[in-house]
């Protein structure tokens, strides 16, 4: 395919905002249509992205258009499976925001539709495009810390209440759980940087702060306790974080074993005062660790009778322009390159499926007493 990629968006707000990086009328891609179930969001999208875009309340009308080559699925997680499969079956290339689906089976149905379609499928793992984690991947691949044996990840989700407990995310029927929804990025980073998938997991977690006995229809602006509540939100995400229907864990601990015997742990808490991710990779010849607050990566070497032990190293990560630490414009460009030139995506559809499979297995473990759960491997029909 040559020329310009014509893109339609399913989901006008939230992650749908990355459409701005695709709408380049004089360039290689243009956003020509958008679907959403909220009319006001469609109008706002036209104002921000393309006043001439075709808009519809029914995403199927978008898929029927012959002037659309590709679809970006940026709808809520529980819609990804339906929207991605429909787009692939309509003969469109697909960019699907993470997580690929909210069940392992849903991911497999997407992969099956993808294989049958002959079209391209990309998963929105933008962390693979962040300077911090690209640097860490480069260091590991250089061999400076030797063969990885252990991975420790701590995720301090300081905005956890606002982003995950004031809207649909807080109900497991919509998200399965935050080990899948929020954790899919971190699980994928563990997989990507080590080059190994998890094979079995055990997890413990609980709803230790959010949830409670407040009415499900209570919103922050209408709450008598809004002046004293730590979770008050006057923004558009304002369902009570302590309502009865909240049932996704806010404090999680996962241990996992990866291919090759690598041991990994993942800790996720949604009521911390700060927001950052701390990754540590320990190899036979050294240790690699990041500090997001300092925007640095550290390498510590151990005695190994090689020249690698001569110095510890500090990497100062460069700032990048664009949302999500400069990752969003690059991943959008890669999606267009994949369609126009066949460039292989940094994250494969199978990788998207495996992060969900691990999140689902971990959620199953923590909700059934913490026993070991085997991670279902990628089906043979979709093997890489």
């Amino acid at each position: 395919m040559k020329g310009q990629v014509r893109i339609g968006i399913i989901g006008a707000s939230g992650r749908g905002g990355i459409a701005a990086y695709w709408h380049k009328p004089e360039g290689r891609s243009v956003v020509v249509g958008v679907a959403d179930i909220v009319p006001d969001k469609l109008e706002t999208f036209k104002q921000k992205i393309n006043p001439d875009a075709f808009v519809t309340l029914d995403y199927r009308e978008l898929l029927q258009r012959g002037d659309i080559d590709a679809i970006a699925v940026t709808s809520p997680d529980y819609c990804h499976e339906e929207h991605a499969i429909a787009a692939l079956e309509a003969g469109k290339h697909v960019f699907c925001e993470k997580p690929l689906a909210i069940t392992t089976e849903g991911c497999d149905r997407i992969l099956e539709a993808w294989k049958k379609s002959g079209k391209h499928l990309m998963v929105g793992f933008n962390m693979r495009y962040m300077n911090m984690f690209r640097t860490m991947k480069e260091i590991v691949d250089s061999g400076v810390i030797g063969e990885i044996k252990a991975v420790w990840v701590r995720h301090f989700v300081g905005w956890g209440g606002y982003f995950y407990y004031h809207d649909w995310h807080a109900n497991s029927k919509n998200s399965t759980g935050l080990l899948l929804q929020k954790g899919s990025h971190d699980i994928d980073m563990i997989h990507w940087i080590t080059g190994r998938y998890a094979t079995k997991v055990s997890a413990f977690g609980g709803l230790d702060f959010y949830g409670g006995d407040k009415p499900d229809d209570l919103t922050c602006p209408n709450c008598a306790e809004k002046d004293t509540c730590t979770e008050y939100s006057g923004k558009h995400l304002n369902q009570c974080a302590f309502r009865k229907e909240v049932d996704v864990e806010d404090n999680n601990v996962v241990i996992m074993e990866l291919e090759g015997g690598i041991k990994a742990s993942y800790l996720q808490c949604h009521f911390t005062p700060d927001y950052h991710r701390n990754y540590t990779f320990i190899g036979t010849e050294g240790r690699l660790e990041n500090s997001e607050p300092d925007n640095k990566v550290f390498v510590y070497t151990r005695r190994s009778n090689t020249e690698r032990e001569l110095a510890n190293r500090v990497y100062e990560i460069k700032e990048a322009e664009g949302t999500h630490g400069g990752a969003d414009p690059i991943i959008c460009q890669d999606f267009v390159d994949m369609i126009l030139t066949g460039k292989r995506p940094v994250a494969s559809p199978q990788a998207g499926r495996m992060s969900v499979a691990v999140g689902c297995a971990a959620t199953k473990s923590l909700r059934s007493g913490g026993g070991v759960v085997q991670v279902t491997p990628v089906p043979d029909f979709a093997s890489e």
Side-chain angles (χ1 to χ4, degrees), residues 158-175:
W159 282 85
Y162 179 64
F163 285 124
Y164 300 103
Y165 289 91
H166 283 305
D167 70 351
W168 57 266
H169 291 89
N171 194 310
S172 60
K173 71 178 182 180
N174 297 325
S175 60

Side-chain angles (χ1 to χ4, degrees), residues 141-161:
D141 287 351
S142 76
V144 71
I145 66 169
E147 184 180 352
I148 293 178
K149 296 295 185 179
V151 183
W152 305 338
V153 177
R154 299 184 300 166
H155 193 169
F156 304 84
V157 194
W159 282 85

Side-chain angles (χ1 to χ4, degrees), residues 197-215:
Y197 286 136
T199 59
K200 56 185 176 181
V201 301
S202 176
F204 297 90
L207 194 55
D208 295 341
F209 186 82
Y210 298 106
D213 58 3
K214 299 296 185 184

Side-chain angles (χ1 to χ4, degrees), residues 114 120-122 128-129 197 334-335 337-339 341-351 383-384:
W114 164 57
H120 292 291
L121 172 63
M122 177 183 281
R128 291 198 184 203
Y129 293 85
Y197 286 136
D334 259 18
F335 181 58
D337 286 342
M338 181 176 66
I339 296 171
T341 70
K343 179 181 178 181
R344 186 178 179 88
V346 175
S348 68
Q350 293 89 343
S383 296
E384 295 183 70

Side-chain angles (χ1 to χ4, degrees), residues 184-236:
S184 62
H185 271 314
D186 297 303
I187 294 167
D188 180 63
M189 281 296 98
I190 294 171
H191 288 168
W192 183 51
I193 293 178
T194 63
R196 300 287 189 271
Y197 286 136
T199 59
K200 56 185 176 181
V201 301
S202 176
F204 297 90
L207 194 55
D208 295 341
F209 186 82
Y210 298 106
D213 58 3
K214 299 296 185 184
D216 289 337
D217 60 355
L218 179 63
T219 60
C220 293
N222 300 317
C223 182
E225 301 175 27
K226 64 182 180 182
D227 292 333
T228 58
C229 180
T230 60
E231 302 305 305
Y232 169 74
S233 171
K235 300 179 181 180
H236 68 285

Side-chain angles (χ1 to χ4, degrees), residues 4 53 169 200 220 242 252 308 347:
Q4 188 178 66
H169 291 89
K200 56 185 176 181
C220 293
F242 302 103
N252 301 304
R308 294 172 181 164

Side-chain angles (χ1 to χ4, degrees), residues 150-368:
V151 183
W152 305 338
V153 177
R154 299 184 300 166
H155 193 169
F156 304 84
V157 194
W159 282 85
Y162 179 64
F163 285 124
Y164 300 103
Y165 289 91
H166 283 305
D167 70 351
W168 57 266
H169 291 89
N171 194 310
S172 60
K173 71 178 182 180
N174 297 325
S175 60
T176 295
L178 294 176
L179 281 177
L180 185 158
Q181 206 290 332
K182 185 62 172 170
S184 62
H185 271 314
D186 297 303
I187 294 167
D188 180 63
M189 281 296 98
I190 294 171
H191 288 168
W192 183 51
I193 293 178
T194 63
R196 300 287 189 271
Y197 286 136
T199 59
K200 56 185 176 181
V201 301
S202 176
F204 297 90
L207 194 55
D208 295 341
F209 186 82
Y210 298 106
D213 58 3
K214 299 296 185 184
D216 289 337
D217 60 355
L218 179 63
T219 60
C220 293
N222 300 317
C223 182
E225 301 175 27
K226 64 182 180 182
D227 292 333
T228 58
C229 180
T230 60
E231 302 305 305
Y232 169 74
S233 171
K235 300 179 181 180
H236 68 285
L237 302 181
N238 57 26
Q239 290 179 265
C240 179
F242 302 103
R243 63 193 187 277
K244 294 178 182 178
E245 71 172 359
V246 172
D247 66 350
V248 294
E249 297 80 6
D250 54 24
N251 185 13
N252 301 304
V253 178
V254 183
I255 56 174
M256 58 187 84
E257 185 169 271
L258 280 59
E259 296 164 330
I262 298 171
K263 311 304 185 296
S265 62
Y266 174 48
L267 291 77
Q268 178 196 88
C269 184
H270 288 263
F271 47 91
T272 66
D274 47 349
Y275 192 113
H276 63 96
R277 290 175 165 99
N278 173 248
Y279 280 76
T280 299
F281 294 86
I282 302 174
T284 54
E285 297 183 41
R287 176 168 70 88
L288 166 67
E289 184 171 358
N290 77 314
S291 172
E292 283 193 328
D294 298 317
N295 213 25
K296 293 181 180 180
V297 170
F298 305 90
V299 174
Y300 305 94
T301 55
R302 69 185 300 275
R303 184 170 182 81
S304 58
N305 292 324
T306 74
E307 62 184 14
R308 294 172 181 164
E309 73 188 67
L310 296 179
N312 296 322
R313 302 156 197 189
V314 179
Y315 295 75
E316 297 186 0
I317 305 303
K318 294 182 178 180
E319 298 286 348
E321 294 185 4
T323 49
H324 280 98
D328 286 343
I330 305 174
I331 196 172
C332 288
Q333 177 181 309
D334 259 18
F335 181 58
V336 174
D337 286 342
M338 181 176 66
I339 296 171
L340 293 179
T341 70
K343 179 181 178 181
R344 186 178 179 88
V346 175
S348 68
Q350 293 89 343
R353 185 265 189 202
M354 285 304 294
S355 76
V356 171
V358 174
C360 287
T363 302
K364 179 179 179 181
S365 174
L366 73 84
R367 292 178 183 168
S368 58

Side-chain angles (χ1 to χ4, degrees), residues 46-104:
K46 291 184 68 174
Q47 294 173 5
K48 290 184 176 181
I49 307 298
N50 179 8
D52 299 320
F54 168 77
V55 299
T56 178
L57 297 171
D58 186 345
Y59 78 89
R60 287 164 292 197
E61 291 185 355
L62 205 62
L63 303 184
Q64 292 169 1
R65 293 185 66 92
D67 63 343
I68 291 179
D69 307 305
I71 292 291
V73 177
T74 56
S75 51
D77 300 354
Y78 55 88
C79 300
H80 288 183
E81 179 184 348
E82 176 184 343
H83 293 161
I85 290 175
L88 289 165
E89 291 179 343
K92 313 298 185 184
H93 303 290
V94 171
F95 175 94
C96 186
E97 184 53 47
K98 70 85 198 169
L100 186 58
I102 63 171
T103 65
T104 306

